[in-house]
Amino acid sequence: MTHESHELTVATDGRTARRAPMRQNRGRMAVAALLGAVVLAAAPTAASAHATGRSAAATTEWRLCMYLGGHPTLKKGDTGEAVRHLQCILNEVYRYQTVPVNGSFEVITEASVKHLQQQFSLPDTGVVDAATWTALHP
């Protein structure tokens, strides 16, 4: 037979209240620790990120921009899934948070591409050509 002691406390209004048993609190802490371990196990490790030359955070961000189509040359005025993919990459991987992910290559997308092309020492044309796609992708 187990005996769980309840701790008595006095509330501010003078009433007596019981706290949950210590054993129940330990169970909650164990569940929280287990969930934390599961989350850590599912996250990319630094070793796997190092092996590919990318950080664990960048690896996770790329997963948000999955795309199975081709990488055509894109310029202002273009629309479609390839443009949406480009905008997702600009937002999620390179943190251009003002770029709308709407599938329409507009002024903001063009300005962000030009800025990124400068960062990669590419001609800042605003046109996403093969060299720009190569720089954008891991």
Side-chain angles (χ1 to χ4, degrees), residues 43-119:
T45 64
S48 68
H50 179 70
T52 61
R54 289 174 271 164
S55 72
T59 302
T60 302
E61 290 156 352
W62 277 103
R63 291 180 187 155
L64 299 173
C65 299
M66 297 304 278
Y67 173 70
L68 299 176
H71 293 100
T73 298
L74 299 173
K75 62 188 179 311
K76 187 175 170 189
D78 288 343
T79 59
E81 286 304 308
V83 175
R84 185 180 306 278
H85 176 59
L86 167 67
Q87 292 168 331
C88 180
I89 291 170
L90 292 171
N91 271 302
E92 298 297 336
V93 179
Y94 295 101
R95 300 295 183 204
Y96 287 89
Q97 296 177 352
T98 59
V99 177
V101 183
N102 59 8
S104 181
F105 199 122
E106 299 167 344
V107 175
I108 295 172
T109 304
E110 181 184 42
S112 299
V113 167
K114 284 182 179 181
H115 182 262
L116 206 59
Q117 286 171 328
Q118 289 172 354
Q119 300 299 311

Side-chain angles (χ1 to χ4, degrees), residues 17-64:
R18 290 184 182 260
R19 282 195 183 165
M22 288 298 291
R23 199 171 275 178
Q24 186 178 10
N25 287 339
R26 275 187 251 141
R28 287 183 184 145
M29 289 189 318
V31 169
L34 181 60
L35 285 175
V38 168
V39 169
L40 288 176
T45 64
S48 68
H50 179 70
T52 61
R54 289 174 271 164
S55 72
T59 302
T60 302
E61 290 156 352
W62 277 103
R63 291 180 187 155
L64 299 173

Side-chain angles (χ1 to χ4, degrees), residues 122-133:
L122 295 170
D124 59 340
T125 61
V127 175
V128 183
D129 55 7
T132 304
W133 277 119

